[in-house]
Amino acid sequence: MRLLVLGGIRSGKSEAAEALVADSGRVRYVATARESTSDDAWTARIAAHKARRPETWVTEEAGSSPERLAELLTGAKAEDTILVDDLGNWLSAAYDSGGDWSSEAAINALADAVRSCGAGRLVLVGPEVGLGVLPATAAGRAFADASGLLNQRVAAACDGVALVVAGEVSWLRGGPSEATVAPVVAPAAEPAPAVVAEPFVFESKGAGSVLSTADGGDTLSFSTGMELPLPDESTAHEAAERLLTLRLNGAGLGGLVPIVRFAGGVQGRPDPRPFQQPRVLVLRGDRTGGFAAGDSADAADQRLDEVVEGTGTLAMLAATAGASVQAIDCPSAGPAELHDAIDDATVDSALTLGWRLADAAANEGVDVLVLGACGSGSDAAATAIVAVLTGAEPSALLGRVVDSTGFVDDAAWIRKIGAIRDARHRVRARSRDPHVMLSMLGGGDIAVATGIVLGAASRRLPLLIDGPVAIAAALVARDYGAQTRHWLLMPDHGDNPTVKLASDVLGAAPFLSLRLALGEGATALAALPLINTALTIAAATPLRTAAVETPPEGLSEQEHIEAEIQRVVADSPTAEMPYVKPSWED
């Protein structure tokens, strides 16, 4: 857990930060202030801070060696609790030692250290200097600008950010226990008798761990209008602009520029790094009735077994991309053309599981999620949701049905379309509330996927999507919190009509057009090495160094420009070419 506590002078920010680690027996307190022999008031302030620290705390002095802070953070262990007070003193010392207040290198290096810190709990204190008047001196303005940039970079690397005013703590994002954007915890409801949900089973390849809702504690209650974080638009713009300064041999990254821009925003840095810890979440949720025509639970079992056993296309691509894989067996759904697919209690449980899967991934250091699906009838359920939310005709959205032998089954496609139309007619007078949509048409896998989208956005975790289940979940999640779509990246829509329409509605334009149809999640995994290649080029390519020429002495700038133009013309090969009289002038 990485937390940033901001506040003005005498706001109580240090006391608030100390309270966040008060329950830890041993705390490593990193003091960044430099003691002064000539300022008695400053010495007294430092003494007051020391007096508040319990005897069990260990103080690390970094005031005279600002570079030591990054070393302490990167070398921290999981059992460590670290409190850094404060970033303003560190910034002053870092720039005083470096001498260049226009450089962002020290700020970016510290943000990287915070992001990679392995401590069990890290709390950083920083001054919020942007609420006052603009400083009158150049040095004051430089410090205010650098401090604001430092706060942005470190906040992007933290799980929670608090602002302390007059001793009152307001969490802008996250928090010490539950994120403030998380929905309110409500007691688990009793399931309705209409549809009995099967237990969730969460299997991790190799680990043999099982997670079910019986062990998950209280169920979270989700509602519309959730306040979720947004990617850093300023760093996204900086990342795209920075590409123009790279010393490339060609014209640039072309269609891969949106990747760099997206990564710059979600990582909160103008030089985004390749994704090092991807995780694939594969959802299996079966259906009965017309939605499952041409598919079967046995075929879905086989697809899930391939994921768990490490065989098949998706597992092979995951291994190539260095991604961990987790398979989630979601509750089955009833025939949506006859009655609601799942009950309200199951929707709450599924959303909660999805939220906690994303939250657990972020806590384990995962830096990008890939959403996959392999349940029977999931394509029809996704088509039904997209058709209802967009008003599109189902027959124009549902792709061809391919059976387990690889042959196109047109009869199954007709049955699916009939079931989708019947379901849409059944719910025509019902609310389009996202919770109701998941209950009426979605099923367990789309509900879990929706919770994953919401949870990923709350933890500032990017999500790669490429199939109908993920795109339907993204549409529903948008109605819970509109910010979710900004954390989604679509490599390729696979020429799937449902995915194409929904991605257009969400504004999630794919950056590839390969028409890959490898199964949901596999297309994104196939594109992940290309994504990391683009980010590697953007981060590692040196910048161009423009030669700066000063005008010759005695010439104005305009005279120098005119002289330079004459020199270029004179040096041009065409300047010495003889005049050849054309034939028509004879």
Side-chain angles (χ1 to χ4, degrees), residues 168-180:
E168 298 294 328
V169 181
S170 297
W171 286 97
L172 308 179
R173 170 169 57 83
S177 55
E178 282 289 334
T180 55

Side-chain angles (χ1 to χ4, degrees), residues 271-563:
D271 54 343
R273 299 298 195 257
F275 296 112
Q276 299 295 320
Q277 298 291 332
R279 173 169 294 177
V280 190
L281 300 176
V282 184
L283 310 179
R284 181 268 178 94
D286 295 330
R287 290 161 179 81
T288 58
F291 279 21
D295 206 346
S296 67
D298 291 339
D301 283 337
Q302 182 179 353
R303 293 191 290 266
L304 189 66
D305 289 342
E306 290 178 348
V307 172
V308 175
E309 295 168 4
T311 59
T313 303
L314 189 142
M316 176 187 65
L317 291 171
T320 302
S324 59
V325 181
Q326 292 180 337
I328 301 95
D329 195 6
C330 305
S332 60
E337 66 271 29
L338 300 179
H339 53 72
D340 287 357
I342 53 178
D343 57 75
D344 290 340
T346 304
V347 173
D348 287 332
S349 298
L351 289 170
T352 300
L353 177 60
W355 179 286
R356 287 177 175 158
L357 285 170
D359 190 61
N363 289 337
E364 294 169 22
V366 172
D367 53 8
V368 64
L369 289 175
V370 179
L371 199 51
C374 62
S376 61
S378 58
D379 57 342
T383 297
I385 287 178
V386 174
V388 170
L389 291 180
T390 64
E393 166 57 37
S395 60
L397 296 179
L398 184 65
R400 304 295 292 273
V401 177
V402 180
D403 62 22
S404 58
T405 62
F407 288 94
V408 174
D409 190 341
D410 287 334
W413 182 88
I414 293 173
R415 292 198 300 273
K416 282 178 180 281
I417 291 297
I420 294 171
R421 287 173 173 168
D422 289 344
R424 187 174 65 169
H425 180 76
R426 181 181 64 82
V427 303
R428 66 191 184 281
R430 301 272 296 276
S431 168
R432 296 301 183 258
D433 177 85
H435 193 283
V436 177
M437 289 295 301
L438 293 173
S439 175
M440 294 189 303
L441 304 170
D445 52 357
I446 296 180
V448 172
T450 303
I452 292 172
V453 174
L454 294 170
S458 76
R459 295 301 305 271
R460 309 182 70 88
L461 196 59
L463 187 64
L464 300 185
I465 61 173
D466 62 9
V469 169
I471 201 68
L475 268 181
V476 176
R478 179 196 60 173
D479 292 335
Y480 280 114
Q483 303 89 340
T484 52
R485 67 184 184 88
H486 297 282
W487 297 95
L488 306 176
L489 182 65
M490 175 174 288
D492 190 0
H493 52 51
D495 209 27
N496 184 298
T498 298
V499 180
K500 289 169 70 174
L501 175 62
S503 64
D504 184 57
V505 172
L506 288 171
F511 58 86
L512 295 175
S513 183
L514 302 179
R515 299 184 178 181
L516 294 177
L518 304 175
E520 185 154 2
T523 297
L525 284 173
L528 187 54
L530 179 61
I531 293 172
N532 280 340
T533 297
L535 296 178
T536 300
I537 293 172
T541 303
L543 302 178
R544 288 197 302 267
T545 54
V548 180
E549 296 186 7
T550 58
E553 189 175 352
L555 291 181
S556 67
E557 183 178 357
Q558 181 62 34
E559 290 172 336
H560 172 63
I561 293 174
E562 293 174 354

Side-chain angles (χ1 to χ4, degrees), residues 23-371:
D23 59 341
S24 299
R26 184 177 183 274
V27 176
R28 296 177 66 184
Y29 184 100
V30 183
T32 62
R34 292 173 288 182
E35 296 194 19
S36 173
T37 58
S38 59
D39 191 337
D40 294 339
W42 182 250
T43 301
R45 184 184 289 259
I46 294 177
H49 277 257
K50 290 181 177 180
R52 286 204 306 264
R53 300 171 204 163
E55 295 181 356
T56 56
W57 290 16
V58 177
T59 300
E60 306 272 3
E61 297 288 349
S64 58
S65 302
E67 68 280 356
R68 189 161 179 262
L69 176 57
E71 297 173 0
L72 290 171
L73 297 182
T74 54
K77 299 179 181 179
E79 61 269 19
D80 289 338
T81 298
I82 299 177
L83 172 58
V84 179
D85 194 358
D86 77 348
L87 296 180
N89 290 321
W90 172 87
L91 180 65
S92 179
Y95 277 120
D96 284 349
S97 61
D100 184 7
W101 281 81
S102 63
S103 174
E104 300 178 8
I107 290 176
N108 290 333
L110 182 62
D112 287 340
V114 172
R115 188 176 285 106
S116 62
C117 181
R121 191 184 310 178
L122 170 64
V123 180
L124 304 108
V125 182
E128 179 49 69
V129 300
L131 301 180
V133 297
L134 187 67
T137 64
R141 290 191 294 272
F143 177 80
D145 290 343
S147 181
L149 183 63
L150 174 63
N151 289 345
Q152 291 183 48
R153 295 285 194 269
V154 173
C158 288
D159 303 309
V161 180
L163 178 64
V164 182
V165 179
E168 298 294 328
V169 181
S170 297
W171 286 97
L172 308 179
R173 170 169 57 83
S177 55
E178 282 289 334
T180 55
V181 296
V184 179
V185 176
E190 291 294 330
V195 180
V196 179
E198 297 176 1
F200 296 94
V201 179
F202 169 88
E203 296 182 355
S204 175
K205 180 190 172 200
S209 60
V210 177
L211 174 68
S212 70
T213 50
D215 304 321
D218 290 335
T219 300
L220 301 174
S221 177
F222 292 74
S223 60
T224 57
M226 296 174 64
E227 291 294 334
L228 299 168
L230 283 168
D232 190 332
E233 181 59 29
S234 63
T235 54
H237 177 74
E238 290 177 31
E241 290 295 313
R242 185 176 178 275
L243 295 177
L244 301 176
T245 67
L246 299 183
R247 197 167 67 226
L248 297 171
N249 293 328
L253 292 179
L256 302 183
V257 171
I259 296 174
V260 179
R261 197 183 195 286
F262 173 82
V266 299
Q267 293 183 17
R269 55 183 304 159
D271 54 343
R273 299 298 195 257
F275 296 112
Q276 299 295 320
Q277 298 291 332
R279 173 169 294 177
V280 190
L281 300 176
V282 184
L283 310 179
R284 181 268 178 94
D286 295 330
R287 290 161 179 81
T288 58
F291 279 21
D295 206 346
S296 67
D298 291 339
D301 283 337
Q302 182 179 353
R303 293 191 290 266
L304 189 66
D305 289 342
E306 290 178 348
V307 172
V308 175
E309 295 168 4
T311 59
T313 303
L314 189 142
M316 176 187 65
L317 291 171
T320 302
S324 59
V325 181
Q326 292 180 337
I328 301 95
D329 195 6
C330 305
S332 60
E337 66 271 29
L338 300 179
H339 53 72
D340 287 357
I342 53 178
D343 57 75
D344 290 340
T346 304
V347 173
D348 287 332
S349 298
L351 289 170
T352 300
L353 177 60
W355 179 286
R356 287 177 175 158
L357 285 170
D359 190 61
N363 289 337
E364 294 169 22
V366 172
D367 53 8
V368 64
L369 289 175
V370 179
L371 199 51

